Amino acid sequence: RQLMIRLLYLSAYNLFGLLGWAHILFQVVSLVASGDITTLWKDLGTEVKYVQTSAVLEIVHALLGLVRSPISRTIPQVLSRLAIVWFAMDPLYTHTDPASPSKAFAVESHYWIGIMTLTAWCFAEIIRYTFYGLNSIDAKLVPFPVLFLRYSAFLVLYPIGVTGEILCAWSTKPLLEAGKCASVGGLLSGCPSGPIAYLWVFLLCYIPGLPFLYLAMLGERSKRLYPKPAPKLAGVVFPTSKAGDRSTTSAAKDVFAAAAEAVDKESAEKVRKEKNWRFGYARHVVQNLRLSARSEESALAVARAGLARLYETFDFIRPDGSSVKLGQAVKEKPAQPFETHTVRGTRPRPVKSEIKVAYKCFHTGVEKELSGAALEEQVDKWVQWGTIEPDCGEAIKEAVRNPEWTNLSNKYFVLLGATSAMGPFLLLKELGAHIIAVDIDRPAVWKRIIEQVQDSCATVTFPTKVKVAGQTGEELYKICGCNLLNQVPEVVHWLTSNVPTICNGQPVTIGGYTYLDGELHVRVNLACDACIQALVESYGPKNVRIASLCTPTDAYLIPDAAAAAARDNLARAPLWQKLLQAALAPLKRLVPNQMPPVKAANGDVLNMMDGLVIPQGPNYAFAKRLQQWRAVVARSMGCTVSINIAPATATASVVHNKQFAAAYGGMHVFKPMEIFYQETSNAVMGALLIYDIHSPNSAANSQVKLRNPMELFSRNAFHGGAMRCLYKFTSVGEIAALVFYMGSYGPAVGVSLAACAAALLGRAFTN
């Protein structure tokens, strides 16, 4: 229903814009044809004001996430147009000549400037609203001519339009000098002091503004009209659908339906009938959790069925182009198995080691390195504020109080995606672990891995394409690593053949830390899962510990205390948040972080949270569900499973997106949310991993009793406040971004408004 309302609203808005600008264009052409253009503003002015001013809604759309338009481009485009309409065109065509009050100020050349400007605007907007209107319904409805014009017409229309805007604004200079300024429909009277300065500031904004917008559109043009050819499919791939393509939607629906059908046929049928998976997937992910929460048997049935369906349906394309099911591919013995090489660090292990956390507050910027009592004190603050769960705080403190746990010289870790931004490679290296590294076969990656290990007390073992026979430097880096996505059978064979020997029969921890965008995330996570499953089967559940990270943007069972805290935080919300919550309720923004609990088969009442962020897309949720299913199954087999929720983290790839960066910048106003820098997240998640593999009391230990297997993911949760936040994670992003923008640019705007007000008051007193 919400999606339908959104679609109907956006369709109506785009249709209004299209018809409005089309009618303006018709009138402009009619005026030119009539030979009398001096009635331009008299005939069109009111309509132009209404149609252009309505574009303010586009800023609202971007802020609320109704559209994907970047706010950094939307705001300047809309505001500059409004400034031209209300502060340039309107006074230019309505004021009389200061030198001769009985005559209109505008002359014929001024009207031709207006016609040039409006014509460029009309063509640009007709094309844009046609494209958006069709694209909002279904991208496939956009015909190529419309797509081509959307990303090509600007090459001509932008320069024409901007030239007209600049000439319109500059033409008002005599009026400003004579004290004749815009009235904005009677809202303003008189001129501020120094109006020419304001004109120059406005015109100078075009110097950075036009290249910024023009280059951004050129980039979009390149991506839309000349996309890079899709790489040839290889390795782990989505199955072929009934339509003959490798649809991610069909595959995801099939797997989720199979998982649900293990315990509830009605839920499975609803998955299959879902017509809008891209935006409707979240309810099925939540329902998958509800089904699992019924009992331990249900959780295991759902997980096993989902995993089985993945291996039954997903394909593996061999180098020769032939295809087999993934379940068969992982059992094949490769024709060219990997060799093995080991590099040992040159530094002695420190006599004393301890857990250290580099902590820089994302909101205040205050930075410090924490260890010992200072770290414990900060952990207590996080617990008290609600940023982490109490058991998470106790786990970190126990790791701090047991410095002998940081001696990892006799511990073995397989890292799938060794150099991942959120992986524990750097921490394990510093603590002297033996790292079995699996990473992409790029020389730059292996140069970094090998050089960092050589300058440490750690050891790293890794696969090589050929046997190492004295190669060093670049010659060595060229033969290191593998392509996990495309070489699953080879990696599986290498791990199962070598890990028992490398580890001398001791337990090993295998962690999947890979991340790729879109559908690649599902594929590479499934490749990791194949490695994990094979190692558990060959080396034994008691010898294999599994490690991974959960995201706060997912659906979980949560502790009763966390659910109660979310309700309490909502009740204590600041007045401005309560008012916004009421106003934005129809738009599903600032939605209370409360869900009906699940009543388990044994009578237990289990609380839930829905932190799914729709824009992240169904593939991300699919990949994370795969990890959870594996964790549940492996723990039931006796594996230790360290899979803790990590906080929202400002990694370089995340903050590179200005909208995400802005949302993170304002997130702190929603108690108890806190965003963390990568160094902090790495350190605290590493501390939890150390706790999980050492403490018999950790929920990672399969002997520790849980009310339901799905509770594993809420234990020791360093969620950054997501569980206890008063509003759902997915509903606060746009408001948080707005708070950030107001905090960043509000003071400057306030000073400008105050200056204008002071100038107006001064003029009033002078008169």
Side-chain angles (χ1 to χ4, degrees):
R1 181 171 172 270
Q2 179 189 354
L3 293 172
M4 183 57 68
I5 293 173
R6 171 183 172 276
L7 178 60
L8 289 173
Y9 167 73
L10 289 177
S11 297
Y13 174 79
N14 289 321
L15 183 60
F16 169 79
L18 171 61
L19 295 178
W21 286 108
H23 187 251
I24 292 171
L25 179 62
F26 174 77
Q27 289 184 288
V28 169
V29 172
S30 299
L31 274 175
V32 174
S34 72
D36 182 11
I37 61 172
T38 58
T39 61
L40 174 69
W41 203 246
K42 179 182 177 182
D43 294 344
L44 280 73
T46 301
E47 186 174 358
V48 170
K49 291 176 189 175
Y50 276 120
V51 174
Q52 183 55 60
T53 303
S54 70
V56 170
L57 290 172
E58 297 187 19
I59 298 177
V60 179
H61 298 165
L63 286 172
L64 296 180
L66 294 179
V67 296
R68 293 187 178 185
S69 300
I71 195 69
S72 58
R73 296 213 303 262
T74 304
I75 288 178
Q77 283 181 305
V78 172
L79 294 187
S80 64
R81 286 274 197 93
L82 291 177
I84 292 297
V85 168
W86 288 99
F87 292 92
M89 287 183 170
D90 197 41
L92 180 63
Y93 300 124
T94 57
H95 278 311
T96 57
D97 189 342
S100 181
S102 61
K103 289 188 349 182
F105 174 73
V107 296
E108 186 175 11
S109 61
H110 292 143
Y111 289 107
W112 280 115
I113 291 171
I115 287 171
M116 177 177 72
T117 306
L118 289 176
T119 301
W121 287 3
C122 286
F123 278 113
E125 298 297 49
I126 289 170
I127 294 168
R128 190 169 70 93
Y129 284 118
T130 301
F131 173 81
Y132 282 157
L134 295 172
N135 194 59
S136 65
I137 300 171
D138 188 340
K140 295 178 181 178
L141 293 177
V142 182
F144 182 76
V146 174
L147 180 68
F148 179 80
L149 287 172
R150 171 69 183 113
Y151 293 105
S152 298
F154 77 92
L155 294 169
V156 176
L157 296 177
Y158 269 29
I160 294 174
V162 167
T163 301
E165 292 171 23
I166 292 173
L167 290 174
C168 274
W170 182 251
S171 296
T172 64
K173 183 173 178 286
L175 293 172
L176 297 177
E177 290 174 335
K180 290 177 173 285
C181 294
S183 65
V184 191
L187 294 176
L188 301 178
S189 61
C191 282
S193 59
I196 302 302
Y198 287 94
L199 175 62
W200 276 109
V201 169
F202 177 74
L203 292 175
L204 288 172
C205 287
Y206 279 90
I207 295 175
L210 178 59
F212 169 72
L213 295 174
Y214 205 76
L215 291 173
M217 284 299 293
L218 283 174
E220 288 292 320
R221 184 175 191 269
S222 177
K223 287 193 294 185
R224 298 294 188 119
L225 298 185
Y226 307 104
K228 294 180 180 178
K232 184 179 179 181
L233 282 177
V236 180
V237 296
F238 280 78
T240 303
S241 68
K242 292 179 180 178
D245 59 355
R246 294 191 181 274
S247 166
T248 59
T249 293
S250 297
K253 288 172 64 176
D254 178 62
V255 171
F256 272 92
E261 197 163 35
V263 294
D264 188 270
K265 295 186 182 300
E266 184 179 345
S267 294
E269 195 58 29
K270 288 181 179 178
V271 173
R272 294 189 177 101
K273 290 181 178 179
E274 177 61 62
K275 296 187 182 299
N276 190 354
W277 184 255
R278 172 61 186 86
F279 293 99
Y281 73 91
R283 58 176 164 267
H284 300 292
V285 175
V286 171
Q287 178 62 10
N288 186 272
L289 174 61
R290 287 189 174 277
L291 296 176
S292 300
R294 290 178 178 177
S295 65
E296 179 179 355
E297 293 75 20
S298 293
L300 286 169
V302 167
R304 287 168 178 155
L307 290 172
R309 191 62 178 167
L310 280 162
Y311 284 90
E312 290 168 2
T313 59
F314 271 65
D315 292 323
F316 183 83
I317 299 179
R318 300 187 180 104
D320 62 6
S322 61
S323 175
V324 294
K325 293 304 176 187
L326 180 60
Q328 177 186 340
V330 295
K331 298 175 182 177
E332 295 179 349
K333 186 174 181 180
Q336 294 182 313
F338 289 118
E339 298 290 342
T340 303
H341 188 61
T342 297
V343 173
R344 292 179 172 81
T346 57
R347 282 171 39 199
R349 188 182 181 280
V351 176
K352 179 183 178 183
S353 61
E354 60 182 347
I355 291 174
K356 297 179 181 179
V357 175
Y359 175 53
K360 179 180 179 181
C361 179
F362 193 81
H363 172 47
T364 65
V366 176
E367 189 171 0
K368 49 193 172 183
E369 185 172 80
L370 304 171
S371 62
L375 176 54
E376 290 193 42
E377 182 181 348
Q378 180 60 55
V379 167
D380 288 336
K381 289 180 181 178
W382 283 328
V383 170
Q384 185 178 8
W385 187 245
T387 307
I388 68 177
E389 289 307 294
D391 61 343
C392 175
E394 291 304 314
I396 295 174
K397 289 194 291 186
E398 187 170 346
V400 171
R401 293 166 185 168
N402 288 275
E404 68 276 8
W405 287 358
T406 61
N407 180 3
L408 301 182
S409 57
N410 61 344
K411 294 292 189 292
Y412 301 87
F413 296 84
V414 176
L415 301 186
L416 304 174
T419 56
S420 167
M422 288 297 290
F425 173 77
L426 294 177
L427 176 68
L428 299 180
K429 170 184 70 74
E430 290 303 314
L431 299 180
H434 191 138
I435 301 167
I436 302 168
V438 176
D439 214 322
I440 192 70
D441 51 348
R442 293 175 185 161
V445 170
W446 287 96
K447 175 178 169 45
R448 186 163 71 250
I449 290 174
I450 291 172
E451 288 184 350
Q452 288 183 345
V453 169
Q454 286 175 331
D455 188 33
S456 75
C457 57
T459 301
V460 62
T461 299
F462 48 88
T464 58
K465 297 181 179 68
V466 297
K467 190 173 183 63
V468 176
Q471 298 97 320
T472 59
E474 293 300 326
E475 293 303 312
L476 174 60
Y477 308 146
K478 288 178 183 176
I479 62 172
C480 297
C482 59
N483 187 317
L484 179 57
L485 191 62
N486 295 349
Q487 296 177 298
V488 175
E490 289 86 349
V491 177
V492 164
H493 180 265
W494 182 79
L495 287 172
T496 55
S497 300
N498 291 279
V499 164
T501 303
I502 295 169
C503 299
N504 299 312
Q506 297 299 308
V508 65
T509 301
I510 180 170
Y513 298 99
T514 54
Y515 176 81
L516 292 171
D517 288 332
E519 52 93 23
L520 287 171
H521 194 39
V522 178
R523 292 166 58 192
V524 76
N525 267 272
L526 186 52
C528 288
D529 186 77
C531 296
I532 293 170
Q533 176 181 256
L535 193 58
V536 170
E537 291 176 351
S538 65
Y539 200 31
K542 297 299 181 183
N543 284 327
V544 179
R545 308 182 185 108
I546 296 174
S548 189
L549 298 177
C550 286
T551 171
T553 56
D554 205 338
Y556 298 105
L557 298 182
I558 63 173
D560 297 341
R567 291 192 295 269
D568 185 59
N569 286 332
L570 181 65
R572 299 170 182 268
L575 179 60
W576 71 268
Q577 291 184 10
K578 291 181 178 179
L579 293 174
L580 268 182
Q581 176 190 336
L584 299 176
L587 297 174
K588 299 295 184 182
R589 294 297 179 269
L590 300 188
V591 178
N593 188 18
Q594 298 172 14
M595 294 185 69
V598 179
K599 188 170 184 179
N602 63 0
D604 286 340
V605 177
L606 306 175
N607 285 289
M608 295 177 60
M609 70 164 274
D610 173 11
L612 289 157
V613 176
I614 302 298
Q616 282 187 319
N619 286 320
Y620 185 77
F622 191 6
K624 302 312 288 186
R625 195 57 37 178
L626 157 62
Q627 290 178 339
Q628 291 191 25
W629 288 339
R630 175 57 60 197
V632 167
V633 171
R635 192 174 185 274
S636 73
M637 297 168 63
C639 290
T640 294
V641 180
S642 174
I643 182 166
N644 301 303
I645 297 178
T649 303
T651 59
S653 61
V654 171
V655 296
H656 177 72
N657 182 307
K658 300 302 181 185
Q659 288 178 285
F660 276 124
Y664 276 12
M667 199 67 73
H668 63 278
V669 300
F670 298 105
K671 186 182 179 183
M673 293 300 300
E674 181 173 355
I675 304 300
F676 290 88
Y677 284 102
Q678 182 179 321
E679 294 79 6
T680 305
S681 294
N682 285 149
V684 295
M685 300 316 295
L688 290 172
L689 174 60
I690 289 171
Y691 170 79
D692 285 339
I693 66 175
H694 284 94
S695 175
N697 299 318
S698 170
N701 183 352
S702 62
Q703 299 304 308
V704 173
K705 183 66 176 174
L706 302 174
R707 290 186 298 175
N708 183 282
M710 302 304 290
E711 280 192 324
L712 172 65
F713 312 110
S714 63
R715 294 293 185 93
N716 298 343
F718 203 111
H719 49 70
M723 282 186 183
R724 295 174 177 244
C725 185
L726 64 169
Y727 300 119
K728 288 185 179 181
F729 201 113
T730 188
S731 71
V732 301
E734 296 86 1
I735 311 304
L738 184 59
V739 168
F740 170 77
Y741 287 128
M742 291 178 66
S744 300
Y745 307 114
V749 174
V751 169
S752 300
L753 291 175
C756 292
L760 290 171
L761 287 172
R763 185 177 181 84
F765 282 119
T766 301
N767 294 338

